[in-house]
Amino acid sequence: MDRLSFILFGHAAFQYLNAACELGVLDLLAERGPLPEEEIRTRLELEERACAVLLLGCTALGLTVKEGGHYRVADLVASLRAGGTWQNIKDTVAFEQHVVYEGQADFTESLQRNSNVGLRRIPGDEPDLYQRLSGNPRLESVFYRYMKSWSELANSHLVHTLDLGNAHRLLDCGGGDAVNALALARHNPALQITVLEIPSSAEMTAARIARAGLSDRVGVQPGDMFADPFPTGMDCVLFAHQLVIWTPEQNTALLRKAYSALEPGGRVVIFNSMSNDEGDGPLVAALDSVYFAALPAEGGMIYPWRVHERCLRDAGFTAVERHPVPGWTPHGIIVATKEAA
Ligand SMILES: C[S@@+](CC[C@H](N)C(=O)[O-])C[C@H]1O[C@@H](n2cnc3c(N)ncnc32)[C@H](O)[C@@H]1O
């Protein structure tokens, strides 16, 4: 029953994590060291009962540890803080709470209708989540903070796996706030990058690039990657956290456009979470698929590697390589080359 009860009350477990992050109890204990309940209550400005609930949950879930009369932060949280990725986790928690949570209540209906019914929880009448974000500035900022953090948890592997020593031009399709384009540009000083982004987000993208001081090498092309032509003459086309959003048919169409945009010998790169070919995990890929089934666009999931590989072959690519990414996120990288005729 342990595992079933954890699933049964999984939403409550998440609410403890979210409250712990929003109220700052874990950061407080990490910064101040072990504290008695009364001091925690005073510092968090909580009533006695409220603080007791918070500490009961955090301690039972292993986010805090009670020793003697004091509470301390769990070793895991302390080590994430020391390793510099605790903020990435907090940004992910905020995204789950403010963008994902409500829409997931429509998961069953989304499966029955094979469509993203949960999008109805996001104000707006645009056809997907991304086009609704600019009309919801608070959600937009939570979303792009999360995307940056989620990318940063794995994109050093992207930067080191991709040898772009001989590449001159890279297209980043749906590049968001340019987190991956900027990382690649910093690592490859000769590379020119075009970030293709929807018009309602393109200004935000350009501002991030300017703030990074890389506007001379990283540009933004506002447009719709489905409807508008890709710029040609590319050595590399990147789809980062992109081909989890759409159906395999849409992905194949995008990969065909990438194939046409590439020079012979050029490469397309898929960088996102992957599920395994057996269809039984990893767990984070399965859990993240609820969001992709219920919310952002009509059809998406954390696809198995083989589905991306099939789309690549259907789009004309023959040489296809897998690069699993180590770490707790289920990230992977697929690199496919457009062979010279
Ligand atoms: C999941 S985010 C990924 C952002 C970024 N690539 C990253 O890895 O952090 C998807 C991005 O694709 C953009 N996008 C969605 N539909 C698009 C379209 N039709 N044309 C261009 N960009 C699009 C969204 O605005 C969003 O910034």
Side-chain angles (χ1 to χ4, degrees), residues 130 144 151 174-176 179-180 197-198 223-225 240-242 246:
Y130 310 101
Y144 282 109
S151 285
V179 52
N180 298 305
E197 235 326 308
I198 51 172
D224 176 345
M225 65 186 163
H241 302 115
Q242 192 59 241
W246 317 106

Side-chain angles (χ1 to χ4, degrees), residues 128 130-131 133 143-144 147-148 151 172-180 196-198 201 204-205 223-227 239-242 244-246 271 291-292:
D128 62 50
Y130 310 101
Q131 296 184 54
L133 285 176
F143 178 84
Y144 282 109
M147 258 345 298
K148 179 170 183 294
S151 285
D172 179 6
C173 283
D177 78 346
V179 52
N180 298 305
L196 181 56
E197 235 326 308
I198 51 172
S201 298
M204 173 276 302
T205 310
D224 176 345
M225 65 186 163
F226 289 103
F239 293 99
H241 302 115
Q242 192 59 241
V244 287
I245 301 167
W246 317 106
F271 169 58
Y291 163 68
F292 286 107

Side-chain angles (χ1 to χ4, degrees), residues 248-303:
E249 294 71 28
Q250 288 171 306
N251 288 346
T252 303
L254 290 172
L255 292 167
R256 283 205 179 98
K257 291 179 80 168
Y259 190 88
S260 302
L262 284 170
E263 292 290 303
R267 287 164 293 168
V268 68
V269 178
I270 302 172
F271 169 58
N272 50 235
S273 296
M274 309 277 176
S275 56
N276 60 34
D277 287 341
E278 294 73 33
D280 58 5
L283 181 61
V284 176
L287 297 178
D288 203 16
S289 289
V290 177
Y291 163 68
F292 286 107
L295 201 80
E298 196 157 355
M301 68 176 284
I302 304 299
Y303 291 108

Side-chain angles (χ1 to χ4, degrees), residues 93-142:
V93 171
F95 166 72
E96 296 295 330
Q97 170 74 8
H98 297 291
V99 180
V100 178
Y101 212 80
E102 275 190 50
Q104 291 202 342
D106 293 321
F107 180 49
T108 307
E109 202 177 329
S110 297
L111 294 179
Q112 285 168 326
R113 291 168 52 180
N114 197 28
S115 185
N116 56 328
V117 177
L119 184 63
R120 65 184 175 191
R121 314 275 179 156
I122 307 287
D125 51 16
E126 293 83 354
D128 62 50
L129 169 70
Y130 310 101
Q131 296 184 54
R132 291 190 188 189
L133 285 176
S134 63
N136 296 279
R138 184 165 149 271
L139 291 189
E140 184 182 43
S141 105
V142 169

